Amino acid sequence: MSDDDSVRVWFVGREYTDKGMLTVRYATPDGEARFEKQQSLNAPDPTAARDVDPAKLTPVEDADRAERYRREVERVRESNAPDDPI
């Protein structure tokens, strides 16, 4: 996959699982799609943004959630560079 094929998504939240893992959630700037990644709690901190394959995005069906993601992406983009740990 070339960089031209990727989509930039921005951090919108994290959730700790009962199995000692961290689910990191990213969304597109319009809030209409999300990307989730599970990682170990010992892994490096997630970054403010990442580029992902569009096939790995999941549509956000709930309009309220999409709006919340859109607002959170806007907030994160205003105060962080894409590679900033968050």
Side-chain angles (χ1 to χ4, degrees):
M1 175 177 78
S2 72
D3 288 340
D4 294 335
D5 296 336
S6 63
V7 173
R8 176 149 295 169
V9 292
W10 292 83
F11 179 87
V12 293
R14 71 182 92 213
E15 185 176 308
Y16 298 92
T17 71
D18 59 352
K19 300 198 180 347
M21 298 290 288
L22 176 66
T23 300
V24 183
R25 189 168 295 115
Y26 292 85
T28 55
D30 62 8
E32 298 293 323
R34 73 176 195 276
F35 169 77
E36 291 184 3
K37 176 183 180 229
Q38 276 205 339
Q39 64 183 50
S40 163
L41 293 176
N42 297 329
D45 287 337
T47 56
R50 62 185 299 142
D51 296 325
V52 298
D53 180 338
K56 294 183 178 182
L57 295 175
T58 303
V60 176
E61 305 285 336
D62 181 271
D64 290 338
R65 182 174 300 222
E67 177 60 21
R68 190 170 76 238
Y69 286 169
R70 187 195 65 72
R71 285 192 313 267
E72 185 62 13
V73 166
E74 186 176 308
R75 186 188 71 76
V76 170
R77 286 174 78 175
E78 288 175 356
S79 57
N80 296 278
D83 292 333
D84 286 351
I86 197 161

